[in-house]
Amino acid sequence: MSLTEFAPAKVNLFLHVGRPGADGRHPVCSLVVFANVGDTLEAEPTAVPALAVDGPFADQAGPLADNLVTRALALAETPPMRVLLCKDLPAASGLGGGTADAGAALRLAARLFPEVTTDQIETAARRLGADGLMCLHARPALAEGEGEILSAAPVMPVLPAVLINPGVPSPTGAVYRAYDLSDGAFTADRPDLPDRFMNVAQFVDFLRLQRNDLAAPAIDLAPEIGKALAAVAARGGCLLARMSGSGATVFGLFATPAEAERAAATVAAERPGWWVRSCLLNADATAA
């Protein structure tokens, strides 16, 4: 029996970052949603564990023996699976791609093997890092602590969006080190959140008051990120443009899917070397 699971892109709508502690780790507060674009995994039981990767970004998957999919299944001690990963998201792009793939693999294991417990799956996800449990469940959340403390997000509208990755590296460690040397906000403040946002306009008004503290240092290190932000912000109907996570992917929010699709088409035509996708954020991402 072969099953398929979608691994949606993760988008940080805002990212507030505090000063590092004695261990060098930064407290954060971030509102996270998932997109209806991402990678796809297909898996079936097998005698010997195996992972194969194809898709436009297969060459960015790295050594298969150390892939997060392989690591997640080993941590969960699942029965052996043969997994085919179709890599449609650029790697190291601030979209949680590798961890999203691992979360999808763990969901597949839970579906394929009734004997695999929820505790096995969630413990493995936590051991993958701060985003592990978030990407396992792939639903909107407010992330605090180092990103591992999750609480329910407010009820939010579906957000038509454009995602752009300009194809430049934005190493997380280097971005955080640059932030530590900057005059950034250095506060992982949690904004007042209502129980529900009634519409896109109200939600965007709220988001405009928030920030991504890593954007300025990331753009200093990789100016192409700033060009991507400017490109989406200049499109007609763009309500808000911001970088996701530590970059290099940026997003623009729009009032309607048609406006997002037109903007994506324009940017893609102007910048054929960039990865550009129109999408919906906060839709039922895992059902895409």
Side-chain angles (χ1 to χ4, degrees):
M1 177 178 62
S2 175
L3 297 177
T4 300
E5 189 78 22
F6 186 65
K10 173 184 71 72
V11 175
N12 300 84
L13 294 176
F14 66 76
L15 178 58
H16 301 170
V17 181
R19 294 186 182 278
D23 59 0
R25 298 181 180 275
H26 296 75
V28 302
C29 180
S30 182
L31 184 59
V32 177
V33 293
F34 291 83
N36 64 346
V37 297
D39 298 335
T40 304
L41 286 78
E42 183 178 353
E44 61 184 1
T46 186
V48 178
L51 172 65
V53 184
D54 67 9
F57 294 100
D59 62 332
Q60 297 182 6
L64 298 188
D66 194 40
N67 187 280
L68 281 175
V69 167
T70 304
R71 199 182 311 171
L73 296 175
L75 287 170
E77 298 181 339
T78 68
M81 298 163 51
R82 179 184 294 111
V83 180
L84 173 62
L85 165 61
C86 182
K87 194 73 186 153
D88 289 320
L89 293 177
S93 58
L95 296 174
T99 311
D101 296 341
L106 290 171
R107 294 194 299 273
L108 280 169
R111 292 170 61 197
L112 284 169
F113 306 112
E115 67 271 28
V116 173
T117 67
T118 299
D119 183 64
Q120 277 178 268
I121 296 297
E122 293 198 343
T123 298
R126 288 189 184 94
R127 292 177 65 186
L128 292 173
D131 288 350
L133 199 59
M134 179 195 308
C135 287
L136 171 65
H137 295 302
R139 56 178 178 249
L142 186 72
E144 296 178 280
E146 294 171 16
E148 83 288 3
I149 301 173
L150 304 179
S151 54
V155 177
M156 297 175 284
V158 173
L159 301 168
V162 174
L163 302 179
I164 303 174
N165 185 281
V168 295
S170 184
T172 299
V175 172
Y176 270 101
R177 286 190 294 272
Y179 177 64
D180 290 343
L181 297 173
S182 73
D183 56 356
F186 289 105
T187 173
D189 51 312
R190 179 178 186 167
D192 291 331
L193 290 162
D195 293 332
R196 175 185 296 270
F197 291 97
M198 301 306 296
N199 51 53
V200 171
Q202 181 195 17
F203 191 33
V204 169
D205 284 345
F206 163 79
L207 289 176
R208 288 192 183 110
L209 300 176
Q210 315 311 318
R211 59 191 192 273
N212 182 339
D213 289 334
L214 300 183
I219 291 169
D220 285 344
L221 292 171
E224 200 77 358
I225 298 172
K227 295 178 183 178
L229 270 173
V232 71
R235 302 281 69 83
C238 184
L239 304 173
L240 176 74
R242 183 166 286 161
M243 188 181 80
S244 178
S246 58
T249 301
V250 306
F251 64 88
L253 301 181
F254 294 80
T256 68
E259 288 178 314
E261 289 164 10
R262 285 194 295 271
T266 301
V267 175
E270 293 175 351
R271 293 284 192 161
W274 289 358
W275 179 86
V276 183
R277 296 289 186 275
S278 63
C279 66
L280 296 176
L281 304 179
N282 193 37
D284 186 2
T286 56

